[in-house]
Coordinates of all heavy atoms in Angstrom, one line a residue:
Y1 N -139.1 -11.5 -20.1 CA -140.1 -11.1 -19.2 C -140.8 -9.8 -19.7 O -140.3 -9.1 -20.6 CB -139.5 -10.8 -17.8 CG -138.8 -11.9 -17.1 CD1 -137.4 -12.1 -17.3 CD2 -139.5 -12.8 -16.3 CE1 -136.8 -13.2 -16.7 CE2 -138.8 -13.8 -15.7 CZ -137.5 -14.0 -15.9 OH -136.8 -15.1 -15.3
V2 N -142.0 -9.5 -19.1 CA -142.6 -8.2 -19.4 C -143.0 -7.7 -18.0 O -143.2 -8.4 -17.1 CB -143.8 -8.4 -20.3 CG1 -143.4 -8.7 -21.7 CG2 -144.8 -9.4 -19.7
V3 N -143.0 -6.3 -17.9 CA -143.4 -5.7 -16.7 C -144.7 -5.0 -16.9 O -144.9 -4.2 -17.9 CB -142.3 -4.6 -16.3 CG1 -142.8 -3.8 -15.1 CG2 -141.0 -5.4 -16.0
G4 N -145.6 -5.2 -16.0 CA -146.9 -4.5 -16.0 C -147.0 -3.5 -14.8 O -146.7 -3.9 -13.7
V5 N -147.5 -2.3 -15.1 CA -147.6 -1.3 -14.0 C -149.0 -0.8 -14.0 O -149.5 -0.4 -15.0 CB -146.6 -0.2 -14.2 CG1 -146.8 0.9 -13.1 CG2 -145.2 -0.7 -14.2
G6 N -149.6 -0.8 -12.8 CA -150.9 -0.2 -12.6 C -150.8 1.0 -11.7 O -150.4 0.9 -10.6
V7 N -151.2 2.2 -12.2 CA -151.2 3.4 -11.5 C -152.6 3.8 -11.1 O -153.4 4.1 -12.0 CB -150.5 4.6 -12.2 CG1 -150.5 5.9 -11.4 CG2 -149.1 4.2 -12.6
G8 N -152.9 3.7 -9.8 CA -154.3 4.0 -9.4 C -154.4 5.1 -8.4 O -153.4 5.8 -8.2
E9 N -155.6 5.4 -7.9 CA -155.8 6.5 -7.0 C -155.0 6.3 -5.7 O -154.5 7.3 -5.2 CB -157.3 6.6 -6.7 CG -158.2 6.7 -7.9 CD -158.2 8.1 -8.5 OE1 -157.6 9.0 -7.9 OE2 -158.9 8.2 -9.5
T10 N -154.9 5.1 -5.2 CA -154.3 4.9 -3.9 C -153.0 4.0 -3.9 O -152.4 3.8 -2.8 CB -155.3 4.2 -3.0 OG1 -155.7 2.9 -3.6 CG2 -156.5 5.1 -2.8
R11 N -152.6 3.6 -5.1 CA -151.3 2.8 -5.1 C -150.7 2.7 -6.5 O -151.4 2.9 -7.5 CB -151.7 1.3 -4.6 CG -152.5 0.5 -5.6 CD -152.8 -0.8 -5.1 NE -153.7 -1.6 -6.0 CZ -154.3 -2.7 -5.8 NH1 -154.1 -3.3 -4.6 NH2 -155.0 -3.3 -6.7
V12 N -149.5 2.3 -6.5 CA -148.8 1.9 -7.7 C -148.3 0.5 -7.6 O -147.7 0.1 -6.6 CB -147.5 2.8 -8.0 CG1 -146.7 2.3 -9.1 CG2 -147.9 4.3 -8.2
R13 N -148.8 -0.3 -8.5 CA -148.4 -1.8 -8.5 C -147.5 -2.1 -9.7 O -147.8 -1.8 -10.8 CB -149.7 -2.6 -8.5 CG -149.4 -4.1 -8.6 CD -150.6 -5.0 -8.7 NE -151.4 -4.9 -7.5 CZ -152.6 -5.5 -7.4 NH1 -153.2 -6.1 -8.4 NH2 -153.2 -5.5 -6.2
V14 N -146.4 -2.8 -9.4 CA -145.5 -3.2 -10.4 C -145.4 -4.7 -10.4 O -145.1 -5.3 -9.3 CB -144.1 -2.6 -10.2 CG1 -143.1 -3.0 -11.4 CG2 -144.2 -1.1 -10.2
E15 N -145.6 -5.4 -11.5 CA -145.6 -6.8 -11.6 C -144.7 -7.3 -12.7 O -144.6 -6.7 -13.8 CB -147.0 -7.4 -11.8 CG -147.9 -7.1 -10.6 CD -149.4 -7.4 -10.9 OE1 -149.8 -7.2 -12.1 OE2 -150.1 -7.8 -10.0
L16 N -144.0 -8.4 -12.5 CA -143.1 -9.0 -13.5 C -143.7 -10.4 -13.9 O -144.1 -11.2 -13.1 CB -141.7 -9.3 -12.9 CG -140.7 -9.8 -13.9 CD1 -140.2 -8.8 -14.9 CD2 -139.4 -10.4 -13.1
Y17 N -143.8 -10.6 -15.2 CA -144.4 -11.8 -15.8 C -143.4 -12.4 -16.8 O -142.7 -11.8 -17.4 CB -145.7 -11.5 -16.5 CG -146.8 -11.0 -15.7 CD1 -147.0 -9.6 -15.4 CD2 -147.7 -11.9 -15.1 CE1 -148.0 -9.2 -14.6 CE2 -148.8 -11.4 -14.3 CZ -148.9 -10.1 -14.1 OH -149.9 -9.6 -13.3
D18 N -143.5 -13.8 -16.8 CA -142.8 -14.5 -17.9 C -143.7 -14.5 -19.1 O -144.8 -13.9 -19.1 CB -142.4 -15.9 -17.5 CG -143.5 -16.8 -17.2 OD1 -144.7 -16.5 -17.6 OD2 -143.3 -17.8 -16.5
L19 N -143.3 -15.1 -20.2 CA -144.1 -15.0 -21.4 C -145.3 -15.9 -21.4 O -146.1 -15.9 -22.4 CB -143.2 -15.3 -22.6 CG -142.1 -14.2 -22.9 CD1 -141.4 -14.5 -24.2 CD2 -142.6 -12.8 -22.8
A20 N -145.5 -16.7 -20.4 CA -146.7 -17.5 -20.2 C -147.7 -16.7 -19.3 O -148.7 -17.3 -19.0 CB -146.4 -18.9 -19.6
M21 N -147.4 -15.5 -19.0 CA -148.2 -14.6 -18.2 C -148.3 -15.2 -16.8 O -149.3 -14.9 -16.1 CB -149.6 -14.3 -18.8 CG -149.5 -13.5 -20.0 SD -149.0 -11.8 -19.7 CE -147.3 -11.8 -20.4
E22 N -147.3 -15.8 -16.3 CA -147.2 -16.3 -14.9 C -146.5 -15.2 -14.1 O -145.4 -14.8 -14.5 CB -146.4 -17.6 -14.8 CG -147.2 -18.8 -15.4 CD -148.4 -19.2 -14.7 OE1 -148.5 -18.9 -13.4 OE2 -149.3 -19.8 -15.3
E23 N -147.1 -14.7 -13.1 CA -146.5 -13.7 -12.3 C -145.2 -14.2 -11.5 O -145.3 -15.2 -10.9 CB -147.5 -13.2 -11.2 CG -146.9 -12.0 -10.4 CD -147.9 -11.5 -9.4 OE1 -149.1 -11.1 -9.8 OE2 -147.6 -11.5 -8.2
R24 N -144.2 -13.5 -11.7 CA -142.9 -13.9 -11.0 C -142.5 -13.0 -9.8 O -141.8 -13.5 -8.9 CB -141.8 -13.8 -12.0 CG -141.9 -14.8 -13.2 CD -142.0 -16.2 -12.7 NE -142.1 -17.2 -13.7 CZ -142.4 -18.5 -13.5 NH1 -142.6 -18.9 -12.3 NH2 -142.5 -19.3 -14.5
A25 N -143.0 -11.8 -9.8 CA -142.7 -10.9 -8.6 C -143.7 -9.7 -8.7 O -144.2 -9.4 -9.7 CB -141.3 -10.4 -8.7
R26 N -143.9 -9.1 -7.5 CA -144.8 -8.0 -7.4 C -144.3 -7.1 -6.3 O -143.8 -7.5 -5.3 CB -146.2 -8.5 -7.0 CG -147.2 -7.3 -6.8 CD -148.5 -7.8 -6.2 NE -149.2 -8.7 -7.2 CZ -150.5 -9.1 -7.0 NH1 -151.2 -8.7 -6.0 NH2 -151.1 -9.8 -7.9
K27 N -144.6 -5.8 -6.5 CA -144.2 -4.7 -5.5 C -145.3 -3.7 -5.6 O -145.7 -3.2 -6.7 CB -142.8 -4.1 -5.8 CG -142.4 -3.1 -4.8 CD -142.1 -3.7 -3.5 CE -141.5 -2.6 -2.5 NZ -141.3 -3.2 -1.2
E28 N -145.8 -3.2 -4.4 CA -146.8 -2.2 -4.4 C -146.3 -1.0 -3.5 O -145.6 -1.2 -2.5 CB -148.1 -2.7 -3.8 CG -148.8 -3.6 -4.7 CD -150.2 -4.0 -4.2 OE1 -150.6 -3.4 -3.2 OE2 -150.9 -4.8 -4.8
F29 N -146.7 0.2 -3.9 CA -146.4 1.4 -3.1 C -147.8 2.1 -2.9 O -148.5 2.3 -3.8 CB -145.5 2.3 -3.9 CG -144.1 1.7 -4.2 CD1 -144.0 1.0 -5.4 CD2 -143.1 1.8 -3.3 CE1 -142.8 0.4 -5.7 CE2 -141.9 1.2 -3.6 CZ -141.7 0.5 -4.8
A30 N -148.0 2.5 -1.7 CA -149.2 3.3 -1.4 C -149.1 4.7 -1.8 O -148.0 5.3 -1.8 CB -149.5 3.3 0.1
L31 N -150.2 5.3 -2.3 CA -150.3 6.7 -2.7 C -151.3 7.4 -1.8 O -152.3 6.9 -1.5 CB -150.7 6.8 -4.1 CG -149.7 6.5 -5.2 CD1 -150.4 6.6 -6.6 CD2 -148.5 7.4 -5.2
D32 N -150.9 8.6 -1.4 CA -151.9 9.5 -0.7 C -152.9 10.0 -1.7 O -152.5 10.6 -2.8 CB -151.1 10.7 -0.1 CG -152.0 11.6 0.7 OD1 -153.2 11.6 0.4 OD2 -151.5 12.3 1.6

């Protein structure tokens, strides 16, 4: 698997992908 993380102005998104780039799980956290 590979983990992709997007850090933005209003949230942090964490996603887990297999090697075919199919998303397997996602978690988001809101940011002030």
Side-chain angles (χ1 to χ4, degrees):
Y1 300 93
V2 291
V3 174
V5 178
V7 179
E9 306 281 354
T10 59
R11 69 182 179 189
V12 173
R13 175 185 290 176
V14 182
E15 297 170 324
L16 183 72
Y17 294 88
D18 63 21
L19 296 190
M21 289 295 105
E22 293 291 335
E23 184 181 303
R24 296 303 182 187
R26 175 189 296 191
K27 182 68 175 179
E28 289 190 6
F29 300 89
L31 284 176
D32 184 332

